[in-house]
Amino acid sequence: MEFKKSKKLFEKGLVNLVGAVNSPVRAFSSVGGNPLFIKKARGSQIIDVDGNKYVDLVLSYGPMILGHRHNKVQKAVNKALKKGYSFGASTENEIALAKIVCDAFPGMDKVRFVNSGTEAVLSGIRLARAFTGRDKIIKFSGCYHGHQDALLVAAGSGLATLSLPSSKGVPEGAVKNTLIATYNDLDSVKKHFEKHDDIAGVIIEPIGGNMGVVVPQGNFLKDLKEFIHSKGALLIADEVMTGFRSKFGGAQELLGVEADITCLGKVIGGGFPVGAYGARNEIMENVAPLGGMYQAGTLSGNPIAMVGGISTLKELKRQNPYSEFEKIGEKIENILLKAAKKYEIDLTVNRFGSMMNPFFTKLKVTNFEQAQTTDTDMFATFFWEMIKNGVFLPPSQFEAWFLSSAISKEDIATIEKAVEKSFFEIQKNHERTS
Ligand SMILES: *Cc1c(COP(=O)(O)O)cnc(C)c1O
């Protein structure tokens, strides 16, 4: 397998782009080598500029849940393009997508569309503060909520990969109202409430996806909600990654916990830039023009992006691939565990619906600290062997893999072969940890 053209483009890209990428997670910093440049994709497969074909388990970090360029989405978007790209005024499709989203999330009466997950979360946080009149926010170590200043502390994947404790350029003042707790540890939340009486809300990924996949244990989410409600604080669910991923709607319903404010992104745009935040009427009525919390956007509710979202969610609802995702996820988990056993490599696989990933550790992983016990050198070997054997993975140990409904039996066979070869190479090249 050759990567000549990617290498050339990488070098060319370095001149006018930062690291030749427009998002640091796309750089191959933690696995070595150059990032791949993509030519095109269709269904479950993605093709780089050198013509190498891969089963795509990145799926644009989540949005492409139907696979790439689903016929119905492509048709709908082509049609919308003929009517205009942006008007700065309302269109009927904004109402249509809002209805689909509110119907799918029982806790949402109203929704506001924005252009990214980052924007959704920063607005959701502002709303929690506006509604409660309090300033402080609790977040969990290892959870990522976009790149807004206030939440760029202990923020998971991108930062963990680059070993940055937090970002430069974030003034102390911007994070002075951010408190950090430990995922799956209610006591770490309670401690903050003992010290502070001005906590507006707790923001959480209901399934952690940005420290690798980390699943809430037992009644953690329910207990968390009950406790913080007793203190007058709001539960903010960041479902940018999990929304429409594990069921039609969010992880909240699946886990039996309805949040006060929900933030969405990724899948709701089907590959176009859409984010959203929503809540029950009583909370949403604080947003301008109904209330005093200002939040706006030139391209928000963009007509092409709305059609991308509507056609994706309609097809997703029709396909209802969630039980199939569960089966395929289990299959891939078993493939990984079998190879790990054969080659005597310590491995933990975390999985929830169509999100999963292996950690090269023997520890159970239920929080960020445990996730960080993974052997990232082994992951780097694993990553490149998977690439060479036709499977495109996120170039970081701390990113989730995603499944699309376009994945086929042949794709799973490709994954199985690639995993076998990768573990063989790991055994050959690494001293084992046990
Ligand atoms: C991706 C992600 C974000 C940020 O979304 P962008 O569209 O990249 O700004 C926020 N929260 C979570 C949980 C995410 O996975």
Side-chain angles (χ1 to χ4, degrees), residues 23 26 60-61 63 115-121 143-148 157 203-210 237-242 263-266 273-275 355 399 402:
S23 189
R26 297 175 200 167
S60 189
Y61 290 87
N115 305 290
S116 68
T118 295
E119 249 192 279
V121 174
C143 283
Y144 176 67
H145 303 293
H147 67 85
Q148 65 161 313
S157 55
I203 183 159
I204 187 163
E205 293 178 66
I207 311 294
N210 285 287
D238 180 349
E239 294 230 42
V240 170
M241 186 184 285
T242 51
C263 306
L264 295 167
K266 298 191 170 121
V274 182
M355 292 159 54
E399 296 285 354
F402 298 101

Side-chain angles (χ1 to χ4, degrees), residues 135-167:
D135 285 344
K136 294 213 164 61
I137 297 289
I138 296 179
K139 82 172 279 289
F140 293 93
S141 167
C143 283
Y144 176 67
H145 303 293
H147 67 85
Q148 65 161 313
D149 283 359
L151 297 181
L152 268 185
V153 276
S157 55
L159 300 150
T161 303
L162 300 172
S163 305
L164 299 177
S166 63
S167 171

Side-chain angles (χ1 to χ4, degrees), residues 291-306:
M293 184 204 108
Y294 191 71
Q295 183 275 309
T298 300
L299 294 177
S300 295
N302 174 269
I304 310 301
M306 291 293 108

Side-chain angles (χ1 to χ4, degrees), residues 193-233:
F193 278 91
E194 278 163 20
K195 275 198 211 128
H196 304 279
D197 59 4
D198 59 342
I199 297 171
V202 176
I203 183 159
I204 187 163
E205 293 178 66
I207 311 294
N210 285 287
M211 44 183 149
V213 175
V214 172
V215 180
Q217 303 292 301
N219 281 331
F220 175 62
L221 287 180
K222 269 188 194 152
D223 295 346
L224 173 69
K225 178 179 167 183
E226 196 179 296
F227 172 74
I228 69 174
H229 272 190
S230 75
K231 303 287 179 186

